[in-house]
Amino acid sequence: NAGVTQTPKFQVLKTGQSMTLQCAQDMNHNSMYWYRQDPGMGLRLIYYSASEGTTDKGEVPNGYNVSRLNKREFSLRLESAAPSQTSVYFCASSGGLSYEQYFGPGTRLTVT
Amino acid sequence: TQLLEQSPQFLSIQEGENLTVYCNSSSVFSSLQWYRQEPGEGPVLLVTVVTGGEVKKLKRLTFQFGDARKDSSLHITAAQPGDTGLYLCAGAEAAGNKLTFGGGTRVLVKP
């Protein structure tokens, strides 16, 4: 089982460029999440999707858009990257009543 | 917004010593989870506690959920270098399916 996969693992962007981070899960989970992790700040929720066809804002949604393409895939798009978006991005999925989440390996993004 | 505060932020100990990490909130959570994260990887779930006062043991790790379901602790007995990592607590809201994460405690166990 691959669990949660993310691509790419690393990315460097110039200010103003756009890119899409891809996430896929093979656990048949209904819910998927995008987080960012900055030094000393734990994990902050960007967007989440409780089920296929729905998306909701999290704590820090500004500058991001998401698409729940199907039950397996949940993508995160940066339309115009800014240096403040330099971070490590994690995708997670959840399918149980206790909301236990399973994380991908992360994408390390640097915006110069 | 529900907040979770972890303490301490950083802990450095010698192999064989014990340590405790705390996770506190003024809000009530329906369940609380502990994750461990190693450098360059995503967090991995260690345990979920659901009932107030619940104690769970995972080998040398003991997790406790406060009676009021507002706080939790993680105790490691006889720590080993393999316990080194970032420990994160996360609380689940009563409604909805989001988690609120604490800021994390970085643990370093020196041989």
Side-chain angles (χ1 to χ4, degrees):
Chain A
N1 257 353
V4 179
T5 57
Q6 292 184 236
T7 55
K9 284 191 73 69
F10 301 94
Q11 184 72 50
V12 178
L13 291 177
K14 293 188 188 312
T15 298
Q17 288 185 317
S18 62
M19 78 161 296
T20 300
L21 281 64
Q22 307 285 355
C23 173
Q25 53 93 8
D26 62 3
M27 294 174 282
N28 202 34
H29 284 166
N30 284 323
S31 302
M32 297 185 74
Y33 309 83
W34 275 106
Y35 293 92
R36 61 179 288 173
Q37 186 174 38
D38 301 301
M41 296 194 72
L43 289 162
R44 292 185 293 169
L45 183 64
I46 305 171
Y47 270 94
Y48 69 105
S49 171
S51 61
E52 187 178 353
T54 68
T55 60
D56 285 287
K57 295 178 180 180
E59 181 186 352
V60 288
N62 291 345
Y64 305 95
N65 285 302
V66 290
S67 295
R68 184 74 183 267
L69 305 170
N70 47 55
K71 191 170 186 179
R72 290 187 65 246
E73 298 172 287
F74 189 37
S75 62
L76 178 71
R77 183 159 177 85
L78 286 71
E79 291 291 351
S80 179
S84 61
Q85 294 178 305
T86 293
S87 188
V88 182
Y89 291 84
F90 288 100
C91 177
S93 70
S94 172
L97 290 175
S98 59
Y99 313 133
E100 297 166 352
Q101 294 188 9
Y102 296 85
F103 287 81
T107 294
R108 188 172 295 274
L109 175 67
T110 301
V111 183
T112 60
Chain B
T1 303
Q2 297 177 302
L3 295 174
L4 271 172
E5 292 189 4
Q6 285 187 241
S7 61
Q9 287 186 303
F10 179 70
L11 205 51
S12 177
I13 60 172
Q14 293 294 135
E15 182 176 1
E17 293 180 338
N18 301 333
L19 69 97
T20 302
V21 177
Y22 299 94
C23 178
N24 294 294
S25 176
S26 57
S27 304
V28 176
F29 293 100
S30 62
S31 68
L32 197 133
Q33 300 164 23
W34 285 93
Y35 293 80
R36 181 164 156 261
Q37 184 180 18
E38 299 194 26
E41 298 181 8
V44 175
L45 179 69
L46 294 174
V47 78
T48 300
V49 285
V50 179
T51 306
E54 183 177 1
V55 177
K56 279 192 175 178
K57 290 181 185 284
L58 190 68
K59 296 183 181 177
R60 293 175 294 98
L61 279 61
T62 302
F63 304 86
Q64 186 163 6
F65 201 13
D67 291 340
R69 292 187 287 132
K70 293 182 179 182
D71 53 82
S72 182
S73 63
L74 156 61
H75 182 79
I76 302 179
T77 303
Q80 299 177 0
D83 295 324
T84 292
L86 178 68
Y87 289 83
L88 296 158
C89 65
E93 299 175 1
N97 55 1
K98 294 187 296 184
L99 292 179
T100 298
F101 278 85
T105 295
R106 195 165 297 279
V107 172
L108 173 64
V109 183
K110 294 181 278 191

